[in-house]
């Protein structure tokens, strides 16, 4: 999932604090663009994939713990949501990878 946020950052080209648009793919930084001068720093797609792979492995390793916490919190909600989550999870993963690979 791609998300954008605005932040006041120091621009090396403008040599002052200016508004910037910061773009993330999931939790991974994709680019930072100055809204005044248009200068953009973008992370290479290869690096995005490397970071995504590391984050994805971490998510896989922590999944049993997170599911156990959900189960303990509300067993009914967990059981009712499980079939839908099992069906939609592959689609959500494909969407995440597509977001990383696509160019703006």
């Amino acid at each position: 999932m791609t998300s954008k946020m605005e932040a006041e950052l120091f621009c090396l080209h403008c040599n002052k604090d200016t508004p910037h648009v910061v773009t993330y793919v999931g939790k991974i930084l994709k680019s930072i663009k100055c809204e005044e001068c248009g200068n953009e720093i973008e992370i290479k797609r290869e690096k995005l994939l490397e970071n995504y792979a590391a984050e994805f492995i971490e998510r896989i390793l922590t999944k049993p713990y997170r599911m156990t916490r959900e189960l303990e919190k509300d067993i009914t909600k967990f059981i009712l949501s499980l079939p839908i989550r099992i069906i939609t999870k592959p689609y959500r993963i494909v969407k995440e990878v597509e977001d990383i690979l696509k160019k703006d």
Side-chain angles (χ1 to χ4, degrees), residues 8-104:
E8 191 80 16
L9 301 170
F10 184 81
C11 177
L12 295 173
H13 288 79
C14 298
N15 204 26
K16 63 180 179 178
D17 288 341
T18 59
H20 285 70
V21 174
V22 181
T23 305
Y24 289 91
V25 177
K27 296 179 183 178
I28 301 166
L29 178 64
K30 182 177 182 183
S31 66
I32 302 170
K33 183 176 183 177
C34 176
E35 291 189 320
E36 246 179 69
C37 71
N39 184 55
E40 183 173 18
I41 299 169
E42 192 164 357
I43 310 300
K44 291 182 180 182
R45 286 199 279 170
E46 295 82 24
K47 287 293 179 193
L48 279 173
L49 283 172
E50 286 175 24
N51 290 336
Y52 177 77
E55 178 191 354
F56 189 73
I57 290 168
E58 177 69 20
R59 286 167 40 196
I60 290 171
L61 293 174
T62 61
K63 190 64 168 178
Y65 171 74
R66 291 181 287 127
M67 288 180 76
T68 301
R69 284 186 33 214
E70 281 184 54
L71 185 62
E72 290 170 348
K73 184 177 177 183
D74 188 347
I75 191 168
T76 304
K77 182 179 176 185
F78 177 81
I79 291 172
L80 292 175
S81 69
L82 197 57
I84 298 292
R85 291 163 67 180
I86 290 171
I87 292 169
T88 62
K89 189 62 168 185
Y91 170 77
R92 289 182 282 147
I93 291 171
V94 168
K95 180 75 175 115
E96 286 178 18
V97 173
E98 284 177 347
D99 284 347
I100 289 173
L101 296 177
K102 76 178 179 183
K103 289 188 175 185
D104 288 332

